[in-house]
Amino acid sequence: MTGRFARVLSLTAVLLTTVACQTGPADAAPAWEPSSGPGAAARHDVVTWGAAADQLGQGTTDRGYRLVVHTSTAGSGLRVRVSNAFGDRPLTLDSVYAGLQGQGAALKPGSNRRLTFGGARSVTVPAGATAWSDPLPGNLPAGSNLAVSLHSPDAAGPATGHGMAMQTSYITQGDHTAEESAANWTGTTGSWWYLDSVSVRPKNPDTGAVVALGDSITDGWASTSDQNRRWPDYLARRLQKADTEVKGVADEGISGNKVLADGAGQAALNRLDRDVLSQPGLRTVFLFEGVNDIKAHSGVTAAGLIAGYQEIVRRAHAAGKCVVASTVGPFEGWPEWDPAGEAVRQQVNQYIRTSGEFDHIADFDRILRSPYDQARMLPFLDGGDHIHPNDKGMQAMADSVDLASLDCDR
């Protein structure tokens, strides 16, 4: 099967799914810039922002959230996905809006628009499920700070969201989702609640996305908050300027996450379908995970971790997606480092570099390590704890990625 033919089949499947699932009206007032031009009906959805779902604690009745997220690719027909993946009861959201952030919790005047679900202003999401909104007419530029405001009248029980956002969002009591003013949005939160994906329809129907599957390094720990300096953010900015069809980027890192075992979020193997393979327009999975399995001293061997990688590759390939894998970075100086773990890391990295089982590889270990001690991070790139890169390190990682490797077909 040629790559082009595979894309046509993929596009056909997306269009059929869209027609089947979207029953709401399409005559709402335009948002942002009016969308126009021939071929709009042929566009397909591509993820422009994403964050891995996890349990966040308990839901709060009559609570509103104004969640600030940074988009990657441009497009029309914005949709958001709300998640109750970890809930033990139905979640009702009775008001959901999307607008462009101005300053703080304030929105740019005239940008805030109501989102509907199957034509209705409210949606009830069953426990363990997600729900996509109807498309919102209008064009959303690349690199926008989008503010998704949502309210639940009766949230309770385990809440779903993303704990370490590295981004300030806002909270309020009562329903103030329609308000563009910041006056009632006086509380703050460092998490994204009930929101796990945003998609758009790019002008180019061949546009695709890469999803980064990882741990706290991918999640952005030690990067500067509110500045979008995680390595997937730097990668997204490179892609927007490049001559490539891959433009969408979703960051599906979870701090403390492992490939093999649940703990800080579900293991990569257990969340692959929901957090990664379900993302619209996915072309390539970028796998950068394993250091938490190694340093946990739980008996994980190189062979065990390699088997986990092989399972991810098998499932991604079965879904028609490419896999780019990166070597595991250095972490000598972190309290859990020891020679035995370092030996496992070296064996795993040798496999990644030489096995040929991945469609392409990246070598973040080579980028981050010191030339004088290859088990230790280069101090210039070290966020201070010897395992998490700083802003410079995040940028160096993103700059090292071969963009052509992300634009592959199966």
Side-chain angles (χ1 to χ4, degrees):
M1 180 184 294
T2 67
R4 179 66 60 180
F5 183 57
R7 288 186 206 173
V8 170
L9 290 180
S10 177
L11 174 58
T12 302
V14 169
L15 287 172
L16 289 174
T17 301
T18 302
V19 171
C21 295
Q22 295 176 9
T23 58
D27 56 355
W32 307 299
E33 304 170 13
S35 56
S36 61
R43 296 176 187 172
H44 68 294
D45 288 355
V46 172
V47 62
T48 188
W49 173 87
D54 198 3
Q55 184 171 329
L56 275 189
Q58 299 295 302
T60 303
T61 299
D62 197 27
R63 172 66 57 83
Y65 299 93
R66 176 156 287 173
L67 307 170
V68 179
V69 303
H70 192 68
T71 65
S72 54
T73 189
S76 62
L78 175 142
R79 304 171 74 200
V80 307
R81 186 170 73 178
V82 292
S83 179
N84 193 24
F86 293 88
D88 63 0
R89 66 200 74 189
L91 168 71
T92 295
L93 300 173
D94 59 1
S95 186
V96 182
Y97 277 74
L100 297 176
Q101 185 186 30
Q103 185 73 25
L107 306 183
K108 292 184 178 179
S111 71
N112 204 27
R113 297 288 184 269
R114 183 185 290 277
L115 289 163
T116 59
F117 296 80
R121 293 186 171 190
S122 66
V123 61
T124 297
V125 187
T130 62
W132 281 100
S133 72
D134 302 322
L136 190 65
N139 294 324
L140 180 67
S144 296
N145 278 351
L146 180 72
V148 178
S149 304
L150 51 86
H151 173 263
S152 175
D154 56 2
T160 298
H162 187 83
M164 194 181 79
M166 305 299 293
Q167 173 68 54
T168 302
S169 292
Y170 302 91
I171 57 177
T172 186
Q173 279 303 113
D175 182 7
H176 301 283
T177 52
E179 301 170 8
E180 294 183 332
S181 166
N184 288 304
W185 296 91
T186 55
T188 61
T189 177
S191 301
W192 289 307
W193 296 76
Y194 303 117
L195 177 72
D196 76 346
S197 189
V198 178
S199 72
V200 294
R201 296 173 182 173
K203 289 183 179 180
N204 181 354
D206 289 329
T207 299
V210 57
V211 175
L213 176 60
D215 48 42
S216 56
I217 300 176
T218 297
D219 213 7
W221 182 251
S223 67
T224 302
S225 294
D226 296 322
Q227 296 298 312
N228 302 303
R229 293 179 180 173
R230 313 162 192 86
W231 75 260
D233 296 320
Y234 284 109
L235 180 64
R237 289 190 278 274
R238 285 189 67 204
L239 287 168
Q240 293 313 306
K241 299 175 183 178
D243 183 18
T244 174
E245 291 177 351
V246 173
K247 299 293 184 183
V249 177
D251 184 338
E252 300 295 326
I254 296 180
S255 180
N257 200 230
K258 298 184 179 77
V259 174
L260 303 176
D262 292 345
Q266 292 179 323
L269 286 170
N270 294 333
R271 64 188 184 91
L272 179 67
D273 290 348
R274 180 191 63 243
D275 288 348
V276 180
L277 299 182
S278 71
Q279 296 295 346
L282 173 64
R283 179 93 40 94
T284 300
V285 180
F286 195 112
L287 174 61
F288 176 45
E289 191 157 3
V291 70
N292 289 316
D293 299 77
I294 294 170
K295 70 182 181 59
H297 301 295
S298 59
V300 170
T301 63
L305 192 50
I306 288 168
Y309 291 156
Q310 291 171 331
E311 175 68 9
I312 290 171
V313 171
R314 184 193 66 78
R315 288 164 57 188
H317 284 176
K321 313 305 178 184
C322 295
V323 180
V324 175
S326 173
T327 50
V328 179
F331 68 102
E332 183 180 358
W334 177 265
E336 293 169 296
W337 184 92
D338 64 12
E342 178 64 16
V344 172
R345 187 179 76 90
Q346 294 293 345
Q347 292 172 53
V348 167
N349 284 350
Q350 179 69 7
Y351 159 79
I352 292 172
R353 292 185 179 111
T354 64
S355 70
E357 294 194 30
F358 304 101
D359 296 282
H360 294 279
I361 67 164
D363 202 341
F364 288 167
D365 172 50
R366 182 180 63 83
I367 296 301
L368 294 173
R369 72 193 184 200
S370 168
Y372 308 108
D373 182 352
Q374 296 194 359
R376 186 179 291 270
M377 193 180 302
L378 188 68
F380 178 69
L381 305 178
D382 193 338
D385 61 11
H386 312 301
I387 194 170
H388 298 99
N390 58 19
D391 292 353
K392 294 290 187 183
M394 295 286 183
Q395 184 172 10
M397 292 162 63
D399 286 349
S400 74
V401 175
D402 177 5
L403 299 187
S405 73
L406 305 180
D407 194 9
C408 67
D409 297 307
R410 291 199 64 83

